[in-house]
Amino acid sequence: MIALGLEGSANKLGVGVILHPPKGGPAQILANVRHTFISPPGEGFLPKDTAKHHRAWVVRLVRHALTEAGVTVDDVDCLCYTKGPGMGAPLQSVAVSARMLSLLWDKELVGVNHCVGHIEMGREITGAQNPVVLYVSGGNTQVIAYACQRYRIFGEALDIAVGNCLDRFARTLNISNDPAPGYNIEQLAKGGKHLLDLPYTVKGMDCSFSGILASIDVLAARLQQDPTGWKDEVTGQVMTRKDLCFSLQETVFAMLVEITERAMAHVGSSQVLIVGGVGCNERLQEMMGMMAKARGGSVYATDERFCIDNGIMIAHAGLLAYRTGLTTPLEHSTCTQRFRTDEVVVKWRA
């Protein structure tokens, strides 16, 4: 079976084509193309501008994906699209595009939960069997484990997502959004040497990032008044932009490692799977690896092709659902900004 997937819940528009062999075996990625709406430094991306970008690029990307995959419309069994969660206007643009292609090509639709798409693609690529999942992105921060045909959320951000925290701090420092603000913070953090004392808020398996963002924004304002750097009152060290990025990254990642370890102990798992855009961060992977190694476990992660929002993950999760008989009637092919991971019945897993 072959599925075409459309993803556009935020500023990335992705189209993927995937093949599930009839006799089982690993899924075959036939095409995975993507185009990103990049806003100017110091600015975020507005829903209306992002939706306009998606509408302008979707037809080109679909054509590109089919050509790269070497398949025709007749070869495609179903069309999968991101139903939610995400930003309203971009989601709506993708849902309308999916409905248009469904009517044009006479193909069944499958609405996919964005978070489940990340998890299933991560499991497929890494081979992780039944891991604790850390899902970290610009819109979501969740610690998840599978039980009884649901991806159960054991912990999550109580306010803003970790990726949103990093992105907003990048805007504070006027860091470029190309290729991504979080990536550019990661590169700056590699040059940081001094760790600042920042708020650390963990409550059981939940965490909070708004306080640490407010605190480091104050420090950034001090730095902007004196670009050469200012001295930390505790250590006497001169602080720079790199030190701020380093301190923020180390602190929020330590929080994520803590809640993930607590979830591993709770469910008795030795595997961690990191998914979502922030999961590309090599320092997060390194810190998680140190924790897992100390517990005799292992960490699974993917590169930017699959961590960052993409169409192939939607195609894969949608095709898994389609093979169980699940489809989305045209009249129900809506989208929603709020669609929790644990709302989905995962019929394709025992």
Side-chain angles (χ1 to χ4, degrees):
M1 286 186 169
I2 294 177
L4 184 143
L6 300 172
E7 154 58 24
S9 58
N11 68 324
K12 295 167 182 66
L13 177 66
V15 180
V17 181
I18 200 164
L19 167 68
H20 286 187
K23 296 182 180 180
Q28 297 177 24
I29 298 168
L30 304 181
N32 186 23
V33 298
R34 180 170 56 210
H35 195 272
T36 304
F37 171 68
I38 299 175
S39 53
E43 298 181 16
F45 49 90
L46 297 175
K48 63 182 180 66
D49 296 333
T50 310
K52 183 178 179 181
H53 165 269
H54 291 0
R55 291 193 298 270
W57 278 89
V58 66
V59 173
R60 277 179 277 185
L61 288 189
V62 169
R63 285 175 174 167
H64 183 185
L66 290 174
T67 301
E68 185 176 303
V71 299
T72 66
V73 171
D74 292 336
D75 298 321
V76 176
D77 292 284
C78 63
L79 294 168
C80 312
Y81 75 98
T82 303
K83 187 176 180 69
M87 299 172 69
L91 280 172
Q92 191 176 53
S93 295
V94 170
V96 169
S97 300
R99 287 198 290 270
M100 177 267 293
L101 293 175
S102 173
L103 291 170
L104 188 65
W105 295 347
D106 192 25
K107 301 292 181 181
E108 296 274 18
L109 280 172
V110 181
V112 175
N113 179 287
H114 178 87
C115 315
V116 172
H118 272 297
I119 295 170
E120 292 300 349
M121 199 69 233
R123 290 181 61 237
E124 178 68 25
I125 294 298
T126 64
Q129 295 302 307
N130 192 27
V132 166
V133 179
L134 176 65
Y135 172 35
V136 278
S137 68
N140 297 274
T141 300
Q142 297 176 349
V143 179
I144 302 162
Y146 176 79
C148 303
Q149 294 196 316
R150 301 264 182 176
Y151 283 114
R152 312 285 176 173
I153 301 172
F154 285 83
E156 57 190 318
L158 298 174
D159 40 36
I160 61 174
V162 63
N164 186 240
C165 175
L166 295 170
D167 290 350
R168 286 166 66 174
F169 185 59
R171 295 205 291 272
T172 298
L173 291 185
N174 208 37
I175 294 173
S176 172
N177 292 318
D178 188 12
Y183 173 82
N184 292 329
I185 282 183
E186 178 184 2
Q187 304 315 307
L188 284 170
K190 291 177 181 178
K193 298 178 181 178
H194 308 302
L195 183 65
L196 288 160
D197 186 20
L198 296 172
Y200 184 100
T201 310
V202 169
K203 301 178 180 180
M205 281 182 269
D206 295 329
C207 51
S208 170
F209 298 106
S210 58
I212 187 173
L213 176 63
S215 178
I216 201 164
D217 275 348
V218 171
L219 299 178
R222 289 183 60 185
L223 186 62
Q224 288 170 351
Q225 292 174 359
D226 184 5
T228 60
W230 52 271
K231 286 188 177 181
D232 179 41
E233 290 87 348
V234 177
T235 65
Q237 301 287 348
V238 176
M239 295 297 154
T240 65
R241 282 161 52 102
K242 294 179 180 179
D243 292 320
L244 292 183
C245 291
F246 170 72
S247 299
L248 176 61
Q249 194 172 261
E250 290 293 303
T251 306
V252 298
F253 289 171
M255 293 161 61
L256 295 175
V257 170
E258 179 182 339
I259 64 174
T260 304
E261 183 174 16
R262 193 165 285 130
M264 290 174 70
H266 182 71
V267 303
S269 174
S270 62
Q271 295 182 338
V272 180
L273 171 63
I274 308 175
V275 300
V278 182
C280 294
N281 190 292
E282 294 177 354
R283 179 55 180 159
L284 174 59
Q285 294 179 14
E286 179 185 15
M287 292 173 68
M288 197 66 71
M290 292 167 65
M291 178 275 289
K293 183 178 180 181
R295 297 181 59 86
S298 53
V299 172
Y300 297 85
T302 63
D303 58 30
E304 61 89 24
R305 293 173 298 168
F306 307 109
C307 265
I308 296 174
D309 291 351
N310 58 86
I312 201 69
M313 71 182 195
I314 301 303
H316 178 59
L319 192 51
L320 288 173
Y322 181 74
R323 288 166 56 184
T324 68
L326 187 146
T327 59
T328 303
L330 189 68
E331 59 271 22
H332 296 150
S333 57
T334 57
C335 56
T336 175
Q337 291 179 265
R338 293 174 175 82
F339 189 7
R340 286 180 63 82
T341 313
D342 50 10
E343 290 181 40
V344 179
V345 179
V346 186
K347 291 186 177 181
W348 54 91
R349 291 192 64 178

